[in-house]
Structure formats: structure tokens, C-alpha cells
Amino acid sequence: MSAASLALRHGRGIAFIAVVAAAAGMYAATKLPKGVYPEVTFPREQVVATLPGAPAATVLAGATRPLEAALASVPGVQSIRSRTIRGAVELSLLFSEDTDMAQAHPLVLSRIAEERSTLPAETDITAERVLASSFPILSLNVEGPYPSEQLYELAQYTLRPALSGLPGVGLVTVQSSEIPETQVLLDPLRLASAHLTVAQVSDKLRAQNQIKTVARLDDGHLLSLGVVTGEMTEAAQIGNTVVGGTPARPVRISDLGTVSRGIAPHTTLIRVDGKPGAILNVARRASGDIIALDQAVHARLAELQPSLPPGVVVKPVYEQAAFVSDAVRGVRDAVLFGALFAVIVLALFLRDLRATLLAALSLPLTLGTTFLLLRLAGGTLNLMSLGGLAIAVGLVIDDAVVIIEAVHRHLENGLSPSEAARRGTDDLFWPVVGTTVTTIVVFLPLGLLGGVAGQFFASLSAALAIAVAVSMPVALLVLPPIAAAFLKPARRESAGHSLARRYSALLGKARPLVVGLVAVAFVVLGALAFNRLETGFLPEADEGSYVIDYFAPVGASLQEADRLAQQIEEVVAKTEDTAAFSRRLGAELGPPVATLPSRGDIAVRLKSGKRRGADEIMDDQRKAVAAAAPALRVEFIQVLADMLGDLQGTPDPIEIRFFGADPARLRELAQDAAGRVKDIPGVVDLFDGNEGCAPELDLDVDPLAAGRQSLSSQVIADQLSAAFLGEVATQIRRPDHLEDVRVRAAGPSNSQETLLT
């Protein structure tokens, strides 16, 4: 029994199954996670070790080299790239493509734990897998007519917990440079009179601010805990802490200085729309739906808005869901228009409305079933899978068109609809099977590519192959019985017959030599055009937002770098297409990185609707920034391209690397290479790799003089650190969180609101 006969005998059952599968697929499409890229696993791990205040040479010897040696033995590691700056080192572990990163991460942590005892005691290490979900999908400015430390507390202790419990949400972080703390400012003269040091006061305060369970007491039917507590919740308790003196004349902290509410020392600066504020970053879990999460965040913020202080505004400065929504709508419209044009062409040729609608029916049946299979396979809707479906539209309707056209031809020959459906399907059964299998075989190898590119194209090839594979049974099993039931005997000849006669006449007049020469000419023209085509990993797109990375001279202070960056802010603020922006200095987004205090970025969101293209805006601002802030090195890049570069560990599209043992010679070679490539058309934001050296003041300890005073280098360093930087001795309990208490020597630069004297 032929496939056509089987389909005609069980037509109702087959049609019912097809409709149910398509309907289930349309529902599944609303539940499929939507994102920009497929869920790609990058063979890379990021390790950051911080050694606060240590010179780069010390970090290199004490942390970089030991960690490089230890992590090089992790199975699968092919190379390690390290970047050492003052106080920190960033190591990028690049693994082989076949490495299971879920198993590699515990091995990295194990090697770090084994090496931990050999590193300086104050070293802090963070290791993290590099994932697309490491970057935020939504960045929100929190601003209002309040001190920035209050905006930080609002974002950290109200907004962040409210958003952290949403379905699909990943890490929610808050960035702000004004973090409140309680400060104990000690008078150096009073300290000297009391024969105390800052470190000793810190130890006394830390020992006093303790809470400990010391007993469990049975009292009838109740179990009571015996708790010894010196917990501090008010500034007065800190001031009354005894740190020296005698039992008759105790010395309290309030006798030595003041307890004040202040701001933690600035290591970063955060600005929103040109003024102090806080940035709330929301990331998603792996395989999370970006659009659904974005909608949930906005809904939760709308619920919280009435309870927020008057005047507080929370607005997005980067919203990945907007780009994803535009991309989904664009592909949807492309599919619909493609289907519409295919139907119009079919109607013009067949001159039969029923046959035209019947062929068009294959699209919802095929695409709906494809969505169902993608859902069952754990796929997502992203730019690559949607692109595959867009390509598949023409291939899907092609199978239906040839079957319906064959049936229609037999109807024109006078056969009944049932017999025409059987013969038309039998005539083209094997050609349809052959073309479908050929198409699948052509596209499937894209999914076999290795590396990150292979993971991207696997999503495209899988979606396309599934759609084309589903179109075959739809054309051969579903459409024939429907055609037999709904098509009528043909009353007039289709347009295809007259065109076929003209085509045959044209072929008879064609000369093989002329046809061959024309074909060769087209091949040559195609080859020339191919060599002039621009290349890239992903197509260019206007995301509606971009990032300006800026680099002040390495030796610039935080205040000087901030002053220079404000000139970029002025350029951005004056651009009429700007909707919102936020700025970071000494901090970045994404996985842990070692960031110099002279480096930062500005995230810019453009207005929606009619405006100039992002590339044009960036080009104009690049020229304006070069004129307004020539001391800054800047790089303009759209957010997704920047994110993809960071994920792969190559932030710049093109890098020229030099290897050798002489740093001075390497710098010379880099400068020479930069000079040679700077005039190449299309090159922008060129950097020769020489960031310069940060100034450093060495305070050498005289061993003989220090020994006479019974002092060691450690004691001297601790005293100077306490005097200039202070020490977080303990924490004071606020109603819903703990706040750091910093003890330091008071100086002329200390101007804080005094709570207790």
C-alpha cells in the first residue's frame, strides 16, 4: 500500500493528530525561553585574586606566578592568560573545546584551595565560570532627590530582595560608590597620651561587640538559652566602650575621638544620569526567558513604586529584552510576509483559491509541530533558531506546493479529487523525500562545527532541520486527504501550463555556447563580489544601547579620572538621542575582573522610535569626546558585541600579541605595530597596549632604627594602614542589616557628620 493510499484511508485521524500537534506547539512557543543567543558554554574560567594595596610586582611574585603554576595542571587547561595590576591579578583559564566545564569548575576550586596556604594571608580569591548569564540582562538607574547613600540602602535592602525571588532571576547586584558605614575617628594626640594604637582600639571594640550562647537552661517545660551579649546597635554603645586606662579612670572611645556616620572610602565611583546614585543589575538563570523575566521585574517595580520615597525613579539604562522582543517580532514578521508572498504567487499560478489555502495550511501545521519538538528537546527561541525557522519557510511551503500542484494537474486532466490526490502524491513521493533529506543533510553539518561557533550554528541547523523534516510528512500524509475532501474538479487551466509552453519554446532557441558563457560570467562576478563582502561572526544590529569604555592615565587619581570622565558625560547628555546613561569608574559588569581605578565605562540607552542609527551616534560622539577629553582613551562598542567579546576572553575584535622576556622591547614592538596598522581603513579605537606605570611611594623600614624601638615592619605597616585607610573592626546591627564600623585616625581630610562626641 502506498503512502498516499494509507493517508487517504486514515485521513481524519492523521489530520486530527497534525492539528493537535500544531496547536500544542503554538502553546509551547509561548513557553519557550527567549534570548539573544543560544545557551552557549564557553570553555573559559575566570579567577581573580586581590591583594589590597600591594604593588604589581609583589602581586606578580606572590599571587600570579603561584596560581599560574597550580592552575596549569587542571585537566583540560590549554593556556592561561594573566593580567596583573596593583592590588589584583586576573587569570583567564582557556580550556579545550571538549572539556566538561561543569566538572572543570570544582577542579579549579580544588587547585586554588591546595595553593591557598602558600599565598599571602590577606589574599582574597574568586573563581567563576564564564557564562552568558554572568552578565545582566537589565540594568536600572536608581535616582532621586536624596543623598546617594540612602539610594544605595534603598536599592540594596528594599529593591534587591524584592527582585531576587522572581522566577528565572539570577544574581541581583547593586553598584554604588557611597556605601554608609559607622566611623570611629581617633585623635592621634589623645591616642598617644593613652598609650594606645588604632589597632589596639579596634581589637578592644571587636572583643566587646560579641554575642555568644553559653548555656541551655531547663525551666519546667521551657528551654531557655543563656546568652552573653555585648552586641552594639547604637553609636552611644561604641563610644562607651572601654579601651584602656585603669579601673578608677577608664578610657572610653568617646574620650579618644568621635563616632560618626560616614561613607566608606571610595575605591569606585558610580554616577547615574550625571549625578550620584545607585545601579541595580539583574541577571538571569541559565535557560531563563529574558522577556518573561523583564516583564516580571517591571511588574514587581510597579508594585513597589507606591511604597518608595517620593521622587525616587527606577528606570532602565540597558534592557536586553527590548532587543530580543524586536528580534522576535522582526523574524515573526519575516515569516508572515514570506508566507503571504508565497501564497500570492501560488494563487497567481494555480488560479484556485482552495488549492492556495490548502498549500498555505502547511505553514502553521509545520511550524507549530516544530515549536513542540523544540520545547521537548529543551531548545530556546533566539536569533539563531529564529533565523533557521525564517530560512525554513520557503523550504516548508515548497513541499506543499509541489504536492498540491501535482494534485491540481490531475484534476485538470479530469480525475476525481480522491484519485487526483492519490496519483499526485504517488508521482512525487520519492522526489519530495529526496529533496527533504538532501536539505537536511546539507544543513546538519553546521551543527557539527566545533567551539563556540559550532554551538551557535547548532541552534540554527537544529531548528531548520526539524522544520524541514516535519514538512515532509505534512505534505505527503496530511495534505492529500484534505485535498481529496476540499478540492473541486478544475474548471480552467492553470497559469503554469502557458508558462511551461513558453519556457519550452525558449529552451529550443537557446545556444549551449551562449548559455555556458553567461553562466561563467555570473560565476566570475560572484567570486569578485564574494571577495569584497565584509565578514563577521554575527550580523550588525542596532541594539538601542552601547558602552563607552574609557581609560584615564594609569597614574591618575580617582578624582582626576572622575573629572575627565565627566567631560564624556557632558557629550552624552547633550546628544538628543540619549534616553538615559550610567557611569562606573573602577568597576565593571560581568564576571570578576581586575579593574584599575583609572578605568571605567558608560552605558548609554538611546531613545526608542525615530532616531539616528547607533553607529552614526557613536561616530559623532567619538569625535566630540576626542576633542573634549584628549587625555582619555575611549572605545565605543554595542553591548552585545562587548559581552560576546568578554565571554570569549577577547574584548577587541583584532589583537596583535608579542611574546618575549624583555618588557621594554615588547613595548617598542607594540608601538611599531600600532603605527603600521593605524591607517588601515575601518580601524578605530586603536590601542598600542602600553597602559603606563602607576606612581608609587616606597616607605623603606630601617631595620636598625625599627629594632631599637622594638618595632617590626608588620607593626609599622599596620599603624600606617590604620591611620590612612582605617580598619573595619566590627559591625553594628541596624534593623535589617549589619553595617561596618571602621576605626581610623582622624585627620584634616575627615569631615563627617558627628553622631557622638
Side-chain angles (χ1 to χ4, degrees), residues 85-123:
I85 63 173
R86 177 190 295 173
V89 57
E90 172 188 323
L91 298 103
S92 182
L93 311 183
L94 304 177
F95 289 79
S96 58
E97 295 177 356
D98 59 347
T99 302
D100 186 339
M101 295 305 299
Q103 296 181 0
H105 182 62
L107 296 177
V108 171
L109 297 178
S110 175
R111 291 291 191 277
I112 292 174
E114 294 173 0
E115 193 67 22
R116 187 67 182 81
S117 60
T118 66
L119 302 177
E122 59 273 25
T123 304

Side-chain angles (χ1 to χ4, degrees), residues 96-447:
S96 58
E97 295 177 356
D98 59 347
T99 302
D100 186 339
M101 295 305 299
Q103 296 181 0
H105 182 62
L107 296 177
V108 171
L109 297 178
S110 175
R111 291 291 191 277
I112 292 174
E114 294 173 0
E115 193 67 22
R116 187 67 182 81
S117 60
T118 66
L119 302 177
E122 59 273 25
T123 304
D124 185 28
I125 305 178
T126 302
E128 185 176 312
R129 286 182 61 190
V130 178
L131 302 169
S133 55
S134 302
F135 292 85
I137 64 162
L138 183 62
S139 186
L140 302 161
N141 283 355
V142 182
E143 51 191 277
Y146 302 96
S148 54
E149 59 267 26
Q150 293 185 20
L151 295 175
Y152 164 78
E153 291 185 320
L154 176 68
Q156 180 72 14
Y157 303 117
T158 300
L159 299 178
R160 181 172 174 265
L163 300 181
S164 295
L166 293 175
V169 74
L171 186 64
V172 181
T173 59
V174 175
Q175 291 181 306
S176 178
S177 49
E178 279 75 25
I179 301 176
E181 68 177 12
T182 299
Q183 296 184 344
V184 178
L185 304 179
L186 304 174
D187 188 311
L189 295 179
R190 296 183 187 181
L191 274 176
S193 299
H195 302 288
L196 292 171
T197 64
V198 174
Q200 289 173 330
V201 173
S202 297
D203 292 340
K204 293 285 186 180
L205 181 59
R206 186 181 300 109
Q208 179 61 30
N209 187 28
Q210 296 289 332
I211 179 171
K212 184 177 181 180
T213 300
V214 296
R216 294 180 177 82
L217 307 174
D218 289 324
D219 183 13
H221 298 287
L222 298 177
L223 176 64
S224 300
L225 295 179
V227 180
V228 173
T229 178
E231 185 182 27
M232 299 178 184
T233 58
E234 299 177 358
Q237 294 172 303
I238 297 176
N240 287 328
T241 301
V242 176
V243 294
T246 64
R249 297 180 62 86
V251 175
R252 302 172 301 167
I253 287 180
S254 58
D255 298 327
L256 301 174
T258 61
V259 179
S260 59
R261 188 80 183 281
I263 303 298
H266 285 162
T267 56
T268 63
L269 285 177
I270 305 296
R271 296 291 182 266
V272 296
D273 287 330
K275 53 186 178 295
I279 302 175
L280 191 65
N281 300 306
V282 182
R284 67 179 178 93
R285 296 176 187 170
S287 300
D289 189 324
I290 291 178
I291 295 179
L293 178 57
D294 183 82
Q295 293 172 346
V297 169
H298 284 290
R300 180 60 57 86
L301 291 175
E303 294 175 2
L304 294 173
Q305 188 62 49
S307 63
L308 299 180
V312 170
V313 177
V314 182
K315 63 180 180 180
V317 71
Y318 172 63
E319 193 170 13
Q320 197 177 105
F323 179 71
V324 175
S325 298
D326 291 342
V328 171
R329 282 195 297 268
V331 175
R332 179 202 62 193
D333 294 343
V335 170
L336 292 177
F337 278 112
L340 177 62
F341 290 142
V343 169
I344 291 174
V345 171
L346 189 61
L348 293 175
F349 276 85
L350 292 182
R351 297 176 181 176
D352 188 327
L353 180 61
R354 294 194 178 200
T356 300
L357 295 178
L358 185 59
L361 180 63
S362 65
L363 282 175
L365 292 177
T366 300
L367 294 181
T369 306
T370 301
F371 288 134
L372 177 62
L373 295 177
L374 284 176
R375 176 68 174 174
L376 295 175
T380 64
L381 290 182
N382 53 75
L383 295 184
M384 302 303 290
S385 61
L386 288 171
L389 293 178
I391 297 172
V393 169
L395 301 173
V396 165
I397 202 169
D398 182 64
D399 287 347
V401 166
V402 296
I403 293 297
I404 296 301
E405 195 277 335
V407 174
H408 196 272
R409 178 164 44 83
H410 284 294
L411 287 174
E412 292 174 351
N413 293 333
L415 296 181
S416 66
S418 177
E419 183 63 19
R422 186 184 66 79
R423 288 196 182 183
T425 305
D426 286 342
D427 290 346
L428 295 180
F429 179 84
W430 288 113
V432 169
V433 172
T435 56
T436 302
V437 173
T438 301
T439 303
I440 295 175
V441 170
V442 168
F443 282 98
L444 273 182
L446 288 177

